[in-house]
Amino acid sequence: MQTITSISQLRKLLDNHRMAEQSIGVIPTMGNLHAGHMMLVKAAIQSCSFVISTIFVNPLQFGPNEDITAYPRTLNEDKKKLDIAGCNCLFAPSVEEIYGFDPSKSTVIQVPGISELHCGKSRPGHFEGVATVVSKLFNIIRPDRAFFGLKDYQQYLLIKQLVKDLVFEIEIIGIEIERESDGLAVSSRNAYLTAEEREIAPFLYACLNDVATAILNNDRDYRRLEKEGLQKLQEAGFHPDYFSICHAETLQSANAKDDSIVLLAAVTLGSCRLIDNLRIKIA
Ligand code: PAF
């Protein structure tokens, strides 16, 4: 597997593949690759002839209270994993390569509406950072398909909206959440959990499941269920940020007539922010 750090070199390489009419798939990541990322790589290899992963810890999506220097960086291990999985190319640019010397002076992309809800409320500027770097990567790579994990469901919908609004000719593919055997969604952030917190963490998914079961058993009092969900999370030892029952496409509060629902939750456990979601169809 080739590793490339320069935009111009990557463009040259990809032009050759495009001329050979190869389909290009991209998996944008911030590295510290885990089983969830590897599912994205696998899906990309199955449907594209040339697969490129990107590893870039994007300063623009970290808030002033979030420590970018603490973000786990495991480039050598990541390269080995990608190589073994059969990924064709890794793009691992520097901050200067993507933003020049001052990221704060970059043109930014704002996706209205969806970026202001849920995680967007607690992490102002986060989704602007995500939309900006993803747009840049899309412009550099011009992939046919891009693969994102559904654990970051709000991010997935935001990127779909971005692609539609900016008329990128890219198919956005969401890949189902990879879970540990006890239900905890696989995430780089799980490494921050102490042994005790790791025991509590699976309760986040258990709580989503309990509420989903109540809905599927015809309980449509969503606002009461949200309150109960928050309370259960608190009792389990989490500091909940939100527990919301939403329309699965708009992420607005769901009402009893919606047939496509997503349950979204974000909590803090110790120093670790965990998010998870569960999508259900109501017949
Ligand atoms: O999901 C992530 O890892 C990041 O938000 C992304 C999409 C790679 C943008 O930096």
Side-chain angles (χ1 to χ4, degrees), residues 28-30 37 56 58 61 126 130 133-134 148 152 155 159:
T29 82
M30 298 209 296
H37 293 116
F56 179 66
N58 174 31
Q61 68 188 76
H126 168 69
V130 170
V133 80
V134 168
F148 293 90
D152 297 299
Q155 170 175 280
I159 290 166

Side-chain angles (χ1 to χ4, degrees), residues 42-58:
K42 191 172 165 199
I45 290 172
Q46 277 165 1
S47 71
C48 303
S49 24
F50 190 81
V51 171
I52 167 160
S53 290
T54 70
I55 294 185
F56 179 66
V57 183
N58 174 31

Side-chain angles (χ1 to χ4, degrees), residues 16-215:
N16 292 337
H17 288 284
R18 255 187 292 274
M19 284 210 305
E21 297 199 351
Q22 293 195 327
S23 56
I24 297 169
V26 67
I27 304 108
T29 82
M30 298 209 296
N32 194 231
L33 303 181
H34 52 60
H37 293 116
M38 299 325 287
M39 293 308 287
L40 307 186
V41 176
K42 191 172 165 199
I45 290 172
Q46 277 165 1
S47 71
C48 303
S49 24
F50 190 81
V51 171
I52 167 160
S53 290
T54 70
I55 294 185
F56 179 66
V57 183
N58 174 31
L60 236 56
Q61 68 188 76
F62 287 79
N65 303 326
E66 298 171 350
D67 184 6
I68 186 170
T69 59
Y71 198 84
R73 288 162 208 251
T74 51
L75 190 60
N76 287 336
E77 288 91 326
D78 293 348
K79 275 187 196 172
K80 279 187 210 140
K81 287 181 188 168
L82 291 171
D83 201 15
I84 292 168
C87 181
N88 302 104
C89 178
L90 167 65
F91 179 50
S94 65
V95 172
E96 289 74 31
E97 187 68 4
I98 294 294
Y99 289 117
F101 284 97
D102 189 351
S104 71
K105 293 206 166 66
S106 170
T107 298
V108 292
I109 305 286
Q110 210 237 344
V111 182
I114 200 149
S115 63
E116 288 136 36
L117 308 167
H118 313 297
C119 283
K121 274 192 196 149
S122 355
R123 304 183 68 192
H126 168 69
F127 285 123
E128 213 167 73
V130 170
T132 302
V133 80
V134 168
S135 303
K136 282 183 172 244
L137 292 170
F138 284 174
N139 276 326
I140 295 165
I141 296 166
R142 292 166 49 216
D144 298 282
R145 291 183 201 102
F147 298 78
F148 293 90
L150 290 175
K151 185 174 80 66
D152 297 299
Y153 186 68
Q154 187 175 2
Q155 170 175 280
Y156 162 75
L157 289 183
L158 175 117
I159 290 166
K160 278 178 79 95
Q161 183 67 43
L162 166 85
V163 161
K164 185 166 170 265
D165 290 351
L166 297 186
V167 211
F168 281 112
E169 271 192 301
I170 302 171
E171 189 183 351
I172 301 301
I173 299 178
I175 301 294
E176 201 40 77
I177 302 174
E178 189 66 14
R179 296 188 181 278
E180 305 288 357
S181 54
D182 57 12
L184 177 65
V186 172
S187 164
S188 304
R189 288 166 186 263
N190 297 350
Y192 300 133
L193 296 169
T194 62
E196 197 187 322
E197 289 160 359
R198 179 62 188 80
E199 301 255 298
I200 298 173
F203 192 76
L204 174 58
Y205 182 53
C207 183
L208 288 168
N209 260 312
D210 284 353
V211 176
T213 305
I215 296 173

